[in-house]
Amino acid sequence: SSTHLFVMDPLASLNRPLDSSLRMMYELSRRGHTVYSCTPTQLSWSNTRDSADANCAVLRFSGSPMDFTEDT
């Protein structure tokens, strides 16, 4: 399994029944992958360390792409 980060609009603003990102995240999660989500404003870059940081949440799905919880 691997880890995936989706940088997208805030989860609360998504149209859950139609959002394709949620469907991709659900399928990855269902197959045992870890799925994270954040918005562009939750990303930062450090020139001194040549690295990026993300203040993100782990998404845990149960039953469908529309049924998830966020663990920060």
Side-chain angles (χ1 to χ4, degrees):
S1 79
S2 56
T3 302
H4 304 271
L5 172 63
F6 285 75
V7 181
M8 53 199 289
D9 292 334
L11 294 171
S13 72
L14 299 179
N15 183 340
R16 288 188 182 200
L18 299 178
D19 192 83
S20 60
S21 296
L22 288 175
R23 294 183 187 284
M24 287 188 287
M25 293 171 7
Y26 170 74
E27 283 301 321
L28 287 166
S29 176
R30 195 175 68 82
R31 296 169 191 216
H33 299 268
T34 304
V35 177
Y36 290 91
S37 173
C38 74
T39 64
T41 60
Q42 292 172 305
L43 294 173
S44 62
W45 175 257
S46 170
N47 287 328
T48 58
R49 295 182 313 173
D50 288 331
S51 66
D53 292 311
N55 180 15
C56 51
V58 177
L59 297 187
R60 302 196 191 287
F61 291 88
S62 57
S64 82
M66 295 174 282
D67 186 18
F68 62 86
T69 58
E70 298 175 66
D71 295 336
T72 54

